[in-house]
Amino acid sequence: EDQVTQSPEALRLQEGESSSLNCSYTVSGLRGLFWYRQDPGKGPEFLFTLYSAGEEKEKERLKATLTKKESFLHITAPKPEDSATYLCAVQARTPLVFGKGTRLSVIA
Amino acid sequence: DTAVSQTPKYLVTQMGNDKSIKCEQNLGHDTMYWYKQDSKKFLKIMFSYNNKELIINETVPNRFSPKSPDKAHLNLHINSLELGDSAVYFCASSQDPGHINNSPLHFGNGTRLTVT
């Protein structure tokens, strides 16, 4: 059975304090790994897709990386507006499997 | 312009009632989904339709019945509501089924269903 585990469940950072979120996965035949951002009361918003080990994608203060067993979402010099829940999801066979997310709080 | 819109945003009802949630997307996507997010924030797929045809039905009770009148709409009807149905229901769409081209999902803002 495909599994996605995200850690930590919650992370509290000071503004400017860089850190990383982890997404470990166990799937048969990974086709893609997705990162989404979810704000309170909103639906998840697509950030990145990673397809193969070694791939990296960047968007503003976020950088996502992928290995054969896990993905990291690095947040560089975060700002309060980066506070949200970050969800990881894997696409192998249908359907898409989501992790439970990491709730990030960035304090000014 | 809202890409994926669902109504209502909040739905409070009693056990045993029947209710519907509507979803519309204006992205021109071929595939639409219903996801359930429970109290632990775990997001799990319920149904997927591609060009009005059901392609995914994930062990959801028969009380849940999706209907897709056209490519841009996917509604969810729930019969005989139970306490355990309380959750946030998200509609989503993608260009094509994710298992074909890894198309990312575009989500609506959810419908919070509370069954009392």
Side-chain angles (χ1 to χ4, degrees):
Chain A
E1 184 181 338
D2 298 343
Q3 286 193 326
V4 178
T5 303
Q6 291 190 245
S7 61
E9 288 189 13
L11 181 63
R12 188 180 172 97
L13 299 173
Q14 292 292 321
E15 184 173 3
E17 180 186 1
S18 301
S19 188
S20 296
L21 314 183
N22 177 265
C23 171
S24 299
Y25 61 89
T26 306
V27 297
S28 176
L30 179 73
R31 293 174 56 88
L33 185 141
F34 299 82
W35 281 98
Y36 288 83
R37 168 188 171 134
Q38 185 173 20
D39 292 298
K42 303 283 188 181
E45 178 186 348
F46 171 71
L47 293 173
F48 305 109
T49 308
L50 301 167
Y51 295 99
S52 57
E55 188 175 1
E56 298 183 353
K57 293 266 179 81
E58 285 190 66
K59 181 179 180 179
E60 296 180 358
R61 294 176 293 282
L62 301 176
K63 182 169 80 171
T65 62
L66 181 65
T67 72
K68 288 187 178 180
K69 294 183 179 180
E70 57 192 349
S71 176
F72 291 94
L73 185 65
H74 307 278
I75 303 177
T76 302
K79 298 182 178 181
E81 53 261 42
D82 295 322
S83 297
T85 296
Y86 291 85
L87 299 169
C88 169
V90 295
Q91 184 75 65
R93 55 183 189 276
T94 57
L96 191 67
V97 177
F98 279 86
K100 292 186 179 181
T102 293
R103 189 171 67 255
L104 174 67
S105 300
V106 182
I107 311 302
Chain B
D1 288 341
T2 303
V4 181
S5 59
Q6 50 184 113
T7 55
K9 187 168 177 63
Y10 300 98
L11 188 52
V12 181
T13 188
Q14 292 184 327
M15 286 175 55
N17 284 348
D18 303 339
K19 290 294 179 184
S20 292
I21 306 172
K22 295 185 176 182
C23 179
E24 176 182 4
Q25 56 98 1
N26 63 5
L27 296 168
H29 288 167
D30 288 340
T31 310
M32 295 187 72
Y33 310 79
W34 278 109
Y35 276 82
K36 179 179 180 180
Q37 190 170 45
D38 60 25
S39 57
K40 296 182 179 179
K41 304 300 183 184
F42 193 44
L43 198 61
K44 193 167 184 181
I45 192 167
M46 301 173 68
F47 301 103
S48 176
Y49 272 72
N50 186 55
N51 278 320
K52 302 192 299 176
E53 182 179 337
L54 180 66
I55 57 172
I56 295 174
N57 182 343
E58 282 292 306
T59 59
V60 177
N62 290 337
R63 300 181 294 103
F64 291 79
S65 54
K67 283 188 172 53
S68 182
D70 55 59
K71 247 176 34 168
H73 296 83
L74 180 62
N75 303 321
L76 183 65
H77 188 75
I78 315 170
N79 290 324
S80 303
L81 278 155
E82 300 177 356
L83 292 176
D85 298 331
S86 295
V88 181
Y89 292 84
F90 286 98
C91 177
S93 71
S94 63
Q95 183 62 52
D96 43 48
H99 65 283
I100 295 178
N101 286 326
N102 281 332
S103 300
L105 301 180
H106 297 257
F107 285 86
N109 283 329
T111 295
R112 181 175 294 277
L113 172 65
T114 303
V115 183
T116 61

